[in-house]
C-alpha cells in the first residue's frame, strides 16, 4: 500500500544537522559553561565526520568567539532567538510527498505550556525565509501542536509516539 506522505527516518535526511546553542536565557543557565563544553565536543565530533551543522545562536559574534577552538569549517551560524535548545521538539518534521521532501513546521507548546516556546516556534519559519531551506520545502502546520521529539519513525510506515 503506497501512502501519499511518508515520514522520513532521521538517518535518511541529507542535510545539515540542526543544533541550537545554549545561552543564558535557556534552562542551561545554571550550568552554561559545562553545557558549552559539551556542545563543543558534539560539534567537533560531527565536523570530524564531515557532517554539516546549522547552528542556531542568539548572537553570531559571541557564538563564534565561544566556539573559536572548534572545527567551524562545517558550521553555519544562524542568528535566531530561541527559548530552548532541544531542536528535535521544535525543528521541522521531514516528510516525502510526491518525490519531494517537505519540512513540516508544527506548533510546539513547551511541553503543555510548562515553558515558553514563542521564539522556538519561529525558528523554522526564519530558516525558510532566510533561504536555509530549499524554496517550496517549508509547510506551515503550526496550528497543529506536535512535539517533534514525541514521534519516531523508521521511514517504512512505522511511527512510534507517546500517549
Amino acid at each position: 500500500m503506497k501512502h501519499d506522505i511518508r515520514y522520513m527516518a532521521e538517518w535518511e535526511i541529507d542535510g545539515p544537522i540542526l543544533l541550537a546553542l545554549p545561552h543564558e536565557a535557556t534552562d542551561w543557565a545554571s550550568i552554561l559553561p559545562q553545557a558549552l563544553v559539551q556542545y563543543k565536543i558534539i560539534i567537533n565530533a560531527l565536523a570530524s565526520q564531515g557532517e554539516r551543522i546549522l547552528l542556531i545562536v542568539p548572537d553570531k559574534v559571541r557564538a563564534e568567539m565561544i566556539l573559536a577552538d572548534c572545527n567551524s569549517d562545517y558550521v553555519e551560524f544562524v542568528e535566531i532567538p530561541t527559548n530552548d535548545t532541544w531542536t528535535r521538539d521544535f525543528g521541522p518534521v521531514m516528510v516525502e510527498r510526491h518525490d519531494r521532501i517537505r519540512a513540516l513546521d508544527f506548533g510546539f507548546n513547551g511541553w503543555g505550556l510548562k515553558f515558553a516556546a514563542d521564539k522556538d516556534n519561529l525558528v523554522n519559519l526564519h530558516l525558510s525565509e532566510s533561504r536555509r531551506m530549499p524554496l517550496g520545502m517549508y509547510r506551515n502546520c503550526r496550528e497543529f501542536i506536535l512535539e517533534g521529539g514525541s514521534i519516531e519513525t523508521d521511514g517504512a510506515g512505522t511511527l512510534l509516539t507517546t500517549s
Side-chain angles (χ1 to χ4, degrees):
M1 177 179 192
K2 181 150 173 61
H3 300 281
D4 268 359
I5 299 175
R6 182 179 73 84
Y7 284 85
M8 299 177 71
E10 290 178 19
W11 59 85
E12 292 182 88
I13 299 164
D14 181 31
I17 294 171
L18 183 64
L19 296 176
L21 194 66
H23 54 83
E24 295 83 1
T26 63
D27 55 358
W28 297 102
S30 65
I31 58 166
L32 188 58
Q34 298 94 321
L36 291 172
V37 167
Q38 296 306 310
Y39 264 71
K40 289 178 184 184
I41 292 169
I42 292 167
I43 288 167
N44 281 328
L46 292 169
S48 73
Q49 298 298 311
E51 295 287 349
R52 294 174 297 140
I53 302 158
L54 197 58
L55 187 63
I56 308 302
V57 299
D59 180 322
K60 185 177 176 181
V61 172
R62 186 162 187 278
E64 287 173 339
M65 289 183 345
I66 290 169
L67 301 174
D69 56 342
C70 285
N71 180 353
S72 60
D73 293 343
Y74 294 90
V75 180
E76 180 181 354
F77 295 87
V78 183
E79 197 169 300
I80 305 173
T82 58
N83 303 102
D84 192 26
T85 56
W86 197 245
T87 58
R88 189 156 191 258
D89 285 345
F90 61 80
V93 173
M94 306 304 285
V95 299
E96 185 179 38
R97 183 173 186 208
H98 305 301
D99 297 322
R100 288 192 59 198
I101 296 175
R102 313 273 195 222
L104 305 183
D105 183 11
F106 291 102
F108 173 59
N109 68 3
W111 305 290
L113 304 177
K114 287 171 60 177
F115 302 98
D118 56 311
K119 296 173 185 169
D120 295 340
N121 271 313
L122 296 176
V123 168
N124 299 320
L125 180 62
H126 181 84
L127 291 173
S128 175
E129 288 178 346
S130 64
R131 301 290 187 247
R132 298 305 193 300
M133 292 181 196
L135 194 61
M137 178 184 272
Y138 176 83
R139 293 291 180 265
N140 183 341
C141 305
R142 288 184 288 167
E143 289 183 17
F144 188 89
I145 302 299
L146 176 66
E147 175 186 318
S150 71
I151 59 172
E152 183 66 48
T153 181
D154 62 2
T158 304
L159 182 75
L160 302 175
T161 189
T162 58
S163 61

